[in-house]
């Protein structure tokens, strides 16, 4: 936070040292307060929403975070060049870097964050635990890897620095501990420049519960209730809510007290979060303190009726909190993180253009988005598109409202986790508040499955897409040659349209026959008939019930824009579900074929390491790791698709690869015995440790 010399200093212009959703979030409050805004952006983000919306923007040449958003010297220089008074760190990147905070203060700027000393005290999880132990905050006792015994299992290996699941491993067998510690250390060193890791007991079915704190420079500390963030994938949060359900008054008071002691122990100022692991027996243990604003802060804002960013600025200007105690909480709020990813395929991140992102609003629904229609999701940054938040007087109402908003959203672009979010919110365990960090370990397979009538819904959506496409073509024809007439005395033959459903890759053939005096009829969908057909909307009667299908087509393929008409992507939205299709050409291009047995990179990235002692000609088993590819802040493990022989390894550690690059070639065991034809090329398998 600002120094004593800054007390009473009025902030007139703020630079946000970040990008995407959090930059836009801070700018929104600044505009409401009459504060000017400055953005920084990489080359990849030159036309990103946060760069477009700011009053001024400064370029950070390059694309990689290490060259741009992690360059504190460039960001400070940008603030000075743009005439900013203060720097807001956002979250991620340099938001918890004490050296950056000091550089901002030394440049004569106001730092809208905690004192550098507080950041430093909490930067290392091992040192933070020692400090919290002295402050009387409950902890899990660490276990030295060399002294671990069978009765200590399972264990959790964690990076001392950083967060987001990097450098984290669950160990269930003592024999694997040494290798997992080494792997976690290597990942932590690559991600944070610090390879220190520690080991502690892993609590099965624990809950991730945290407390939002806010402290001024006048001795007041607010504990703004609890949040439950137990639904996580790869140790990253997916759904968060406030207050945490099913806590006793004693538990809440204990968590609030421990969070306040943690904040006072480091002389904290500003907004921060103290995170706890709540064991099944009800005991809470300190995990870490995030010395910044959290991604999930909107649920606290909704429940307490506060603007945490406005309060951050107020405290940075030297003002006290408005009262000795925070306001009373009201109602319940739930937030879902919308990611460009495919949960059914090990949460594989997706890239491409976002054509449309619209979430129905209304009272109690909030959208904090990092992208807008026309923006690109690139490989350089986290794939989170937006956060959708719902508030209501009760938890059940808030959950229902959020699920409905997500279900009715129009999200056209890369594959997302939207369906998973809706199904998670409606799962009986979530609905009843039975939450823990193993939720997706137990339920992911079921949550990724289509409903029992999923195939019928999919085919109805594809039929609607085909009808809309035919109507669009007829409309276009009527503007030119259609005016010349086209009457014929013969019945029309069946029309065929081929699609590939995305994600998943299931290929569908839609056959329908134009009918005189009415909409076309489907030849392979009993109980489904068209009522009205337009180029952007089709009404179908499905088993006697009328449904509206909104249809939108965009001339780009799954690998990016420019694929041409035959590679168009079509999005169909209806109460029966949202579906995306790629139009398949009638005659496949032989140039699209890849060498059989190839493992392909599904996204641009960097090969961070290869499997030890593995070379061409070696036998491999199904699921055996061959190499690790880092992309979009995640590490993806590429594995052998079947038992066989590694014919070729085409990449080296540190090599940058593009979409579709051949990483390795594996011949299956069966092919080796028979000498027969090899299977088609397989995509790289993402099974890696989290980001």
């Amino acid at each position: 936070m600002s120094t004593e010399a800054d007390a009473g200093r009025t902030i007139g212009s703020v630079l946000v040292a970040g990008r995407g959703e959090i930059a836009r979030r801070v700018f929104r409050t600044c505009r409401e307060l009459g504060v000017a805004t400055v953005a920084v952006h990489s080359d990849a983000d030159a036309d990103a929403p946060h760069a477009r919306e700011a009053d001024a923007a400064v370029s950070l040449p390059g694309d990689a975070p290490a060259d741009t958003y992690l360059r504190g010297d460039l960001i400070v220089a940008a603030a000075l060049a743009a005439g900013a008074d203060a720097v807001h760190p956002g979250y991620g990147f340099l938001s918890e870097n004490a050296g950056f905070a000091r550089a901002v203060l030394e440049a004569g700027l106001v730092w809208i964050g905690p004192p550098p000393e507080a950041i430093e005290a909490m930067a290392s999880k091992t040192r933070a635990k020692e400090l919290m132990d002295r402050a009387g905050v409950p902890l899990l006792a660490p276990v030295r890897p060399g002294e671990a015994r069978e009765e200590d299992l399972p264990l959790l290996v964690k990076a001392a620095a950083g967060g987001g699941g990097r450098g984290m491993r669950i160990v269930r067998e003592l024999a694997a501990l040494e290798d997992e510690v080494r792997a976690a250390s290597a990942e932590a060193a690559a991600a944070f420049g610090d390879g220190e890791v520690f080991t502690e007991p892993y609590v099965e079915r624990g809950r991730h519960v945290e407390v939002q704190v806010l402290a001024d420079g006048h001795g007041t500390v607010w504990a703004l209730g609890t949040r439950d963030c137990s639904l996580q994938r790869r140790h990253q949060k997916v759904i968060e809510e406030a207050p945490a359900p099913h806590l006793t008054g004693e538990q809440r008071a204990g968590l609030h007290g421990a969070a306040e002691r943690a904040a006072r122990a480091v002389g904290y100022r500003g907004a921060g979060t103290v995170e706890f692991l709540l064991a099944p027996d009800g005991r809470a243990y300190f995990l870490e303190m995030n010395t910044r604003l959290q991604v999930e802060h909107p649920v606290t804002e909704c429940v307490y009726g506060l603007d945490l960013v406005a309060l951050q600025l107020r405290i940075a200007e030297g003002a006290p909190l408005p009262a000795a105690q925070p306001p009373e909480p009201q109602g319940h709020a739930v937030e879902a993180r919308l990611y460009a990813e495919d949960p059914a395929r090990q949460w594989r991140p997706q890239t491409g253009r976002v054509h449309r992102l619209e979430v129905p609003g209304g009272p109690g629904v909030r959208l904090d988005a990092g992208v807008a229609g026309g923006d690109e999701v690139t490989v350089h940054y986290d794939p989170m598109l937006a956060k959708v938040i719902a508030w209501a007087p009760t938890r059940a109402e808030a959950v229902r409202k959020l699920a409905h908003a997500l279900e009715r959203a129009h999200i056209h672009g890369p594959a997302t986790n939207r369906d998973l979010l809706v199904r998670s919110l409606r799962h009986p365990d979530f609905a009843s508040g039975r939450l823990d960090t193993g939720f997706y370990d137990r339920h992911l397979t079921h949550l990724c499955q289509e409903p029992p009538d999923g195939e019928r819904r999919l085919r109805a959506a594809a039929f609607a897409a085909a009808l809309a496409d035919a109507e669009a073509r007829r409309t276009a024809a009527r503007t030119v040659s259609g005016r010349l007439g086209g009457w014929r005395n013969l019945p029309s033959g069946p029309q065929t349209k081929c699609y590939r459903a995305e994600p998943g890759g299931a290929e569908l053939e839609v056959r329908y026959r134009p009918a005189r005096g009415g909409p076309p009829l489907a030849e392979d969908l009993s109980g489904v008939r068209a009522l009205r057909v337009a180029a952007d909307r089709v009404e179908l009667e499905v088993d006697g019930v009328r449904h509206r299908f909104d249809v939108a087509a965009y001339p780009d393929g799954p690998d990016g824009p420019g694929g041409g008409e035959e590679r168009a992507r079509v999005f169909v939205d209806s109460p029966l579900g949202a579906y995306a299709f790629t139009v398949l050409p009638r005659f496949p291009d032989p140039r699209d074929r890849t060498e059989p047995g190839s493992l392909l990179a599904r996204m641009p990235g960097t090969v961070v390491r290869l499997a030890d002692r593995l070379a061409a000609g070696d036998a491999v088993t199904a699921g055996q790791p061959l190499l690790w590819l880092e992309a979009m802040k995640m590490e993806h493990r590429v594995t052998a698709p079947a038992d066989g022989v590694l014919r070729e390894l085409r990449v080296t550690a540190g090599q940058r690869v593009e979409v579709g690059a051949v990483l390795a070639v594996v011949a299956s065991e069966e092919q080796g015995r028979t000498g027969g034809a090899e299977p088609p090329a397989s995509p790289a398998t993402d099974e890696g440790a989290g980001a």
Side-chain angles (χ1 to χ4, degrees), residues 25 50 100 161 203 224 240 254 263 282 301 319 339 344 356 373 394 431 504 561 573 577 644:
R25 163 70 189 91
H50 79 276
F100 177 56
V203 178
L224 290 170
E240 304 103 340
E301 292 185 321
Y339 285 100
R356 186 179 181 188
T394 68
D573 297 293

Side-chain angles (χ1 to χ4, degrees), residues 36 55 80 84 91 110 115 182 255 279 281 327 329 395 397 405 481 483 507 551 615 638 640 666 668 688:
D55 295 319
L80 295 173
Y91 52 67
V110 177
R182 186 184 305 111
L255 289 166
D281 63 7
R395 182 178 188 270
E397 291 173 288
S481 59
R483 290 197 300 266
E507 295 191 5
V551 183
V638 179
V666 175
S668 72

Side-chain angles (χ1 to χ4, degrees), residues 189 400 431 658:
R400 181 178 63 194
E658 298 301 325

Side-chain angles (χ1 to χ4, degrees), residues 8-254:
R9 179 175 176 180
T10 300
I11 296 173
S13 177
V14 171
L15 178 144
V16 177
R19 63 176 301 278
E21 174 267 325
I22 185 56
R24 299 182 78 192
R25 163 70 189 91
V26 176
F27 292 161
R28 184 168 69 242
T29 289
C30 287
R31 286 193 296 270
E32 293 172 359
L33 296 177
V35 175
T37 56
V38 180
V40 289
H41 64 82
S42 65
D43 291 341
D45 278 342
D47 196 38
H50 79 276
R52 298 196 301 264
E53 293 173 3
D55 295 319
V58 180
S59 173
L60 304 174
D63 291 326
D67 300 326
T68 55
Y69 298 108
L70 290 173
R71 285 287 302 275
D73 57 334
L74 297 182
I75 293 173
V76 171
L80 295 173
D85 303 314
V87 172
H88 190 297
Y91 52 67
F93 299 123
L94 296 171
S95 62
E96 295 180 277
N97 187 300
F100 177 56
R102 286 196 178 94
V104 169
L105 293 169
E106 289 168 0
L109 301 166
V110 177
W111 170 248
I112 307 175
E117 295 76 18
I119 299 175
E120 217 157 41
M122 291 298 186
S124 167
K125 296 182 181 67
T126 52
R127 290 188 289 276
K129 284 175 179 288
E130 294 170 0
L131 186 61
M132 293 300 98
D133 190 32
R134 292 196 295 271
V137 178
L139 303 168
L140 282 170
V143 177
R144 295 181 182 276
E147 300 173 3
R149 297 172 296 177
E150 288 288 343
E151 51 265 36
D152 295 323
L153 297 174
L155 293 170
L156 184 64
V157 182
K158 297 179 70 174
R166 305 300 297 272
M168 189 178 291
R169 301 286 194 279
I170 299 172
V171 181
R172 300 185 183 278
E173 298 179 3
L174 273 184
L177 180 58
E178 184 179 348
D179 286 343
E180 293 291 10
V181 167
R182 186 184 305 111
S185 178
E187 186 179 359
F192 314 122
D194 184 348
E196 181 186 357
V197 298
F198 65 95
T199 308
E200 65 185 16
Y202 176 69
V203 178
E204 301 277 10
R205 297 214 168 192
R207 290 174 62 184
H208 182 116
V209 177
E210 58 192 34
V211 177
Q212 174 74 59
V213 296
L214 202 62
D216 62 22
H218 303 268
T220 301
V221 177
W222 282 0
L224 290 170
T226 57
R227 297 190 289 250
D228 191 296
C229 309
S230 297
L231 265 64
Q232 302 178 5
R233 55 90 161 118
R234 291 178 161 183
H235 307 293
Q236 284 189 317
K237 301 162 189 173
V238 178
I239 296 177
E240 304 103 340
E241 60 181 300
H246 302 322
L247 296 184
T248 65
E250 183 180 359
Q251 285 176 315
R252 292 186 191 279

Side-chain angles (χ1 to χ4, degrees), residues 329-340:
Q330 301 290 331
H332 202 96
V334 189
E335 171 182 289
R337 301 190 191 188
L338 184 67
Y339 285 100

